[in-house]
Amino acid sequence: MMDTALLSDLERRGLIAQSTDIYSLKVVLSSPQTLYCGFDPTAGSLHIGHLVPLLLLKRFQDAGHKVIALIGGATGLIGDPSFKASERSLNSTSTVAGWVNDLSVQILNLLQPRLNQPLQLVNNADWIHQLNVVDFFRDVGKHFSVNNLLNRDSVKQRLLRPDQGISFTEFSYSLLQAFDFSELNERYDCRLQIGGNDQWGNILSGIDYTRRRNGREVHGLTLPLITKSDGTKFGKSETGTVWLDAAKTSPYAFYQFWLNTADSDVYRFLRYYTFLSCDEIDRIENEDKANHQKPQAQYILAKELTQFVHGENGLLHAQRITEALFTGRVRQLQLSELKQLELDGLPTWHISSHDLTEALIKSGLAASKRAARELLASDAIRVNGEKVTAEQNDLGFALFDQYWILQKGVVSENGK
């Protein structure tokens, strides 16, 4: 018998939105099982919304189960309509194939070094592309009731929008995902599918079809869709989606995103996104409330996640950049760290001269030449960490012959 504390821990973390009969699921998970989670290639990188199910795969594997990550090389060519306001644009076969490779590499790099056993990575194009369309309609489609599919909330919402509706292509998506579950059950004895709560209808279809096709009982479990406490959408910063790819979201911007988590969200996110025990998170929350000072929770969250996604080196650079900007000691930054700031860390402008007044106006730090002179006269401007005077109207030497960092406001030696 295995340790069955996993589901209790997930419940305490708030990580279970819906599931098949929880008692039956606990019985099944009392012995080693195989489970899977699917990821459709809709871009060349996953984002932080995908991180919770990825971490859940690790939680299950840590508890002694076998995990499969499925990349939707076939379903990604169609697009899941679940709770989407409008029809997805179809991407080319070559584009999707490239994204399949990108996501495969990314998932392996993220999870494999942190797992006790090799991660099973599969692509549903391997079996869906082998299907004959007539056989698919006869052998798969025959088991699905259009009435039941129309009653799914994910489909209903589209049907209630007469300006949009839903194409047969997207309507058929649920059948393909159901086929995936049955195929993984047959090939790998997979008995559990996990996913976001928007996948509940598709998971139910897979459970029913697997029972009909394979005569096997399988299960489903969904995670809550992550939102902020004020109900707004989670996962975007001022510069857009927070990606897991360092070339799309720099480690510094990634670190800053978590550092800026609202106090009303941070303890919940610690439960969702970290492997700290719930008791430890409760202790952190109690200490924060007792101290009546700036909470430590955001720093712990940012550190844990940046280290997990970008490694020790990525975390180190993110912390160095943060400290340098806070204290004004930006000359210590490396070229690679300045490139992170150029990517998404600070607003960036290209300039045609070394004129300081022009740079202040172009950057928006000053509204006019007069305002720029007043800022300089009040010692409120630093260039590359150094205070400049009203008599100085030249940017001076660029860092690595490429960058000037302009800062407005007084920065003391200790960063206060």
Side-chain angles (χ1 to χ4, degrees), residues 17-41:
Q18 298 186 80
S19 73
T20 47
D21 181 71
I22 196 72
Y23 177 77
S24 298
L25 186 54
K26 286 182 177 180
V27 172
V28 168
L29 293 177
S30 65
S31 60
Q33 300 296 331
T34 300
L35 66 141
Y36 93 98
C37 184
F39 303 89
D40 270 351

Side-chain angles (χ1 to χ4, degrees), residues 237-252:
S237 66
E238 291 182 1
T239 56
T241 300
V242 181
W243 302 99
L244 304 186
D245 184 347
K248 294 177 179 290
T249 298
S250 70
Y252 167 74

